[in-house]
Amino acid sequence: MAEAANVRQNLQNVPSIFEISAAETLDNLIYPALSKVFDYFGLRLDFKLWGNLRVREELSPVVTWILQYLYLRKRASSFGESFYGLQRTATATGELLTRQQQFTSATLLTLLPYVERRLRARSAQHEDTYAWEQHLINLFHAYNASKAVHTFLYLIKYATSHSPLFRALHLTLRYPSAPPKEDKWTYVFLKMLEVVAFFLQFIQWWYSNDQRRKVGGTLQNPEALSKEEHSDLKSGECPVCLMRLQTPTACAVSGYVYCWKCIVSHLKRDGSCPVTKYPISLDDLVRIYET
């Protein structure tokens, strides 16, 4: 009887794949939302290391790791998992995370999406990639395929973990049998972070809608900041190199068209439209294909 009750309790504590997907979606929103906030305020790492080597990197991955580690340490769950009332436990024993599992989980939650995003960005820029980078991209493809298989097996209740990473760490997601034990100030601080989650989602939504308004709100291109510099620009010429357009690429924010290489090279130095100086990124570039 006791064993049957324990099995029934474990089955009741198993979250659905929809709740797990919602938690992962919220975790994946942290990095891009923080990036938008830090970019707006111009906050990023920029210092000279040695010789000609200079470090130019975002603060978002560091803050994301700290946030995830804090939640894993206090609640044995990631930010998104805690928001949906889930908890990471050992598959065999049901115990909470060890200190090493907390550190490893926070690192994987932050590092894997960051590396994949950077690799895909380099591939989208058509830059010369090293062989090891292509191997990493292939590994990410294999991982995503493996994750899809694990998700299906979890859905039909054939697997205890929904992800190959969880299986490798011998962890699974469950509903906590008791609320987490934390002091008043920790509880208030983590609740404030959960409120910030709505703010981050709003930032992401606002940025997407703002971009759509800039693209479709008017048929007239914004005026150039320096009219004298672009007054002699002829139709079919790139505003950067002032030559005939090669691989024409439109900026979705301003509507101006550039050579692909010219606008990508400019974005590496300055993340703005060369003509209007509006902030843009690679996601705002649209290739124009002639028919």
Side-chain angles (χ1 to χ4, degrees), residues 76-281:
S77 58
S78 70
F79 180 73
E81 293 159 3
S82 174
F83 189 83
Y84 285 94
L86 306 179
Q87 194 173 65
R88 297 187 178 204
T89 60
T91 305
T93 63
E95 295 180 355
L96 298 182
L97 305 181
T98 63
R99 185 68 61 86
Q100 181 179 358
Q101 287 174 327
Q102 294 168 2
F103 183 87
T104 304
S105 296
T107 302
L108 291 175
L109 278 167
T110 306
L111 187 62
L112 288 182
Y114 173 73
V115 172
E116 185 177 11
R117 189 176 289 108
R118 290 297 296 268
L119 289 173
R120 293 188 184 280
R122 281 178 57 83
S123 178
Q125 294 174 20
H126 299 283
E127 294 183 353
D128 294 332
T129 56
Y130 298 102
W132 63 268
E133 290 179 314
Q134 190 59 46
H135 289 319
L136 276 180
I137 293 176
N138 294 334
L139 285 176
F140 275 112
H141 289 320
Y143 166 73
N144 291 329
S146 175
K147 186 176 180 181
V149 172
H150 273 77
T151 300
F152 174 74
L153 294 177
Y154 181 85
L155 188 62
I156 63 176
K157 301 187 183 304
Y158 190 79
T160 57
S161 301
H162 69 285
S163 165
L165 288 180
F166 273 74
R167 184 174 182 180
L169 295 173
H170 305 290
L171 298 176
T172 188
L173 279 176
R174 292 288 185 268
Y175 292 114
S177 55
K181 297 179 180 179
E182 50 195 24
D183 58 83
K184 178 182 177 181
W185 293 110
T186 301
Y187 175 81
V188 171
F189 178 70
L190 295 183
K191 277 298 180 183
M192 289 178 61
L193 288 179
E194 291 176 2
V195 173
V196 172
F198 288 103
F199 174 72
L200 294 179
Q201 288 178 311
F202 172 76
I203 290 291
Q204 190 76 0
W205 169 84
W206 173 80
Y207 179 78
S208 300
N209 282 334
D210 187 55
Q211 294 299 87
R212 283 195 290 269
R213 285 196 300 269
K214 289 177 180 177
V215 174
T218 177
L219 295 177
Q220 183 178 3
N221 285 354
E223 293 185 358
L225 294 184
S226 177
K227 295 183 180 180
E228 294 79 7
E229 184 179 350
H230 300 282
S231 59
D232 297 333
L233 187 65
K234 299 178 181 178
S235 177
E237 289 184 353
C238 172
V240 177
C241 66
L242 302 180
M243 299 180 67
R244 185 170 182 81
L245 288 167
Q246 300 292 330
T247 315
T249 303
C251 173
V253 174
S254 65
Y256 285 92
V257 181
Y258 306 92
C259 298
W260 169 259
K261 291 185 178 180
C262 291
I263 187 61
V264 169
S265 298
H266 178 82
L267 282 181
K268 290 180 180 179
R269 301 188 303 270
D270 185 4
S272 64
C273 172
V275 177
T276 63
K277 303 303 179 184
Y278 287 173
I280 62 173
S281 65

